[in-house]
Amino acid sequence: MVGTYLMDAIATVLQPFNLVVLFVSTLAGLVMGILPGLSATMAIALLTGLTYNFPTQSALIALLGIYVGSISGGCQSAILLNMPGTPASAATALDGFPMAKQGKGGYAIFLATTCSMLGTMISVVFVLTLTPLLTAMALKFKSWEFFLLTIFGIVICGTITAQDNALKGWISGLLGLIVAQIGMDTVDSFPRFCYGNVNMMATIQLIPVMIGLFGFPEIIKSFKREEDAPVEQVSDFEIKKGCKTVFSHFGIVLRSALIGVCVGIIPGVGEDTGGWLSYWATKTTSKHPENFGKGEETAIISSETGNNSCIGGAIIPVLSLAVPGSAPAAVLLAAFLMHNYRPGPLLMTESPDFVYRIGIYLLFASVAMWLLALVLARMTIKMLRIKKKILMPIVYTLCVVGAYLINYNLFDVKVMFVFGLVGLLLNQMAIPAAPFLLGVILGPMTDSNLRRALKLSDGSILPMFQRPICLFFLLVIVSMILAQVGFFSWIFGERKAE
């Protein structure tokens, strides 16, 4: 049965139209990843609206292609410009740019691109093996468990994405939950917070919210950044030497991939954390840590393997629990829902082929990314010289078109604009937007499961404290909150003082 699913997926992606879609979307992802200021989240959000009327499988191929391409493309601007195209490639810039200054820019790009491909491929193994296991485990979840799972996802996302204060991340997630309550409620079909507006009764659409939250701030920030001069030219790739280097350090590749997958599974962490942790693990175990930051090959290998393996890791909780592992994965979850797939515990029952299709599409996307990235590297210098005054109006137009194509409704464009202002406000207040988006996505799930559980228990919350899985989630949530408010440090500090 599994073999049939895999062969069907391969046959689907090898259809001429789908191959064109794969290469075009991956190329678009690479370009958006290379250009500083255009994040992977923004790239997927834009393409989600543009692929609304695509055949379902073609749309999935396009979305995964742009996901892989945008995460991988950031390494080229990090190496040549010392400015990561996406946050996922921030660690790569530490050693990639010094290598480029030494005249090894092409060699560094080959190492980064090859390890990006390997990281994605290795993560696919975990997608195909862990997703069915987690899905089977999630079948034991009832209403109380799903309610606490969503709260756990928002709390951990807010904790990790808020740089200076976890409370800001929690506020962002709570605001997202509130926005998700707009429209007809999922239990009694009663309109809430609609104020007589028919469009609002249909709930706030996810795609305009996503485009607004992540598109507008990036457009504004790009005008504020100073544009550094890139390296003048890309040197030879030195393919033979690069392949020998990668496979001589294959143990680092495997370790970084495992770190990336584990980081990706944790809701809300993201690909940039996977890259940094892989870089740190390699540096701490290196015999020559003093070489890091000066053009160390293993640094590029570890960071690019780690951030790209997060792609598969972040998709695992999306498929098995309907909880995204990163901000781009959150957008991907919304795209799956838009194309009539319901990720979660029932996925293997309702659409057993879906997981295997995702795995195969990721494999082909990683190969397409590797081929296109090496071809594109020669033109990267020219792309990095594009003025923001020319590029950003085009991006803004795509934002408007992407929001409009969801329902062919100008109301969605207005929603996008409103949440663009919200995104700017959140950005100015250093409040992360990822928990807000996660709150909007998980809001219906949180609301419906809480109300269903209360109805089944006649309004009592005692059953929540009588179920082992619920107690586990409660313990983790409370521990995280207490840790952030300094409770444990205060307790242990008092004991140490005594």
Side-chain angles (χ1 to χ4, degrees), residues 340-363:
N340 299 318
Y341 281 106
R342 288 200 308 163
L346 297 178
L347 179 66
M348 297 302 294
T349 302
E350 297 175 347
S351 306
D353 63 322
F354 185 61
V355 173
Y356 303 101
R357 288 185 179 277
I358 294 299
I360 293 299
Y361 297 165
L362 280 175
L363 281 177

Side-chain angles (χ1 to χ4, degrees), residues 1 30 103 131 141 145 154 167 220 263 307-308 314 322-323 335-336 378 384 387 389 415 429 437 440 453 489:
M1 188 66 71
L30 282 167
T131 302
F141 283 32
E145 284 83 358
I154 292 171
L167 182 61
I220 299 300
V263 168
N307 61 33
N308 278 267
V323 175
F336 290 161
R378 300 296 183 187
L384 291 175
K387 299 295 183 183
K389 293 180 181 180
V415 169
M429 298 173 67
L437 177 61
V440 175
S489 59

Side-chain angles (χ1 to χ4, degrees), residues 36-55:
L38 304 181
S39 65
T41 308
M42 181 180 177
I44 302 171
L46 285 174
L47 192 67
T48 300
L50 297 175
T51 59
Y52 181 69
N53 290 323
F54 270 39

Side-chain angles (χ1 to χ4, degrees), residues 293-309:
K294 301 177 182 178
E296 175 61 35
E297 297 172 342
T298 56
I300 296 174
I301 290 172
S302 57
S303 61
E304 283 302 310
T305 304
N307 61 33
N308 278 267
S309 60

Side-chain angles (χ1 to χ4, degrees), residues 68 71-72 75 92 107-123 242-254 256-257 278 297-311 366 369-370 373-374:
V68 173
I71 295 296
S72 306
C75 70
T92 305
Y107 176 57
I109 288 175
F110 179 80
L111 287 178
T113 303
T114 302
C115 291
S116 296
M117 178 183 67
L118 291 175
T120 306
M121 286 181 165
I122 294 172
S123 72
C243 290
K244 184 178 179 180
T245 301
V246 170
F247 287 104
S248 64
H249 296 99
F250 200 71
I252 294 176
V253 172
L254 290 176
S256 301
S278 300
E297 297 172 342
T298 56
I300 296 174
I301 290 172
S302 57
S303 61
E304 283 302 310
T305 304
N307 61 33
N308 278 267
S309 60
C310 269
I311 294 174
S366 64
M369 176 277 299
W370 185 80
L374 295 182

Side-chain angles (χ1 to χ4, degrees), residues 395-414:
V395 175
Y396 177 78
T397 303
L398 290 175
C399 289
V400 174
V401 172
Y404 178 74
L405 288 177
I406 302 300
N407 293 313
Y408 297 97
N409 189 348
L410 285 176
F411 179 77
D412 290 333
V413 178
K414 297 176 183 177

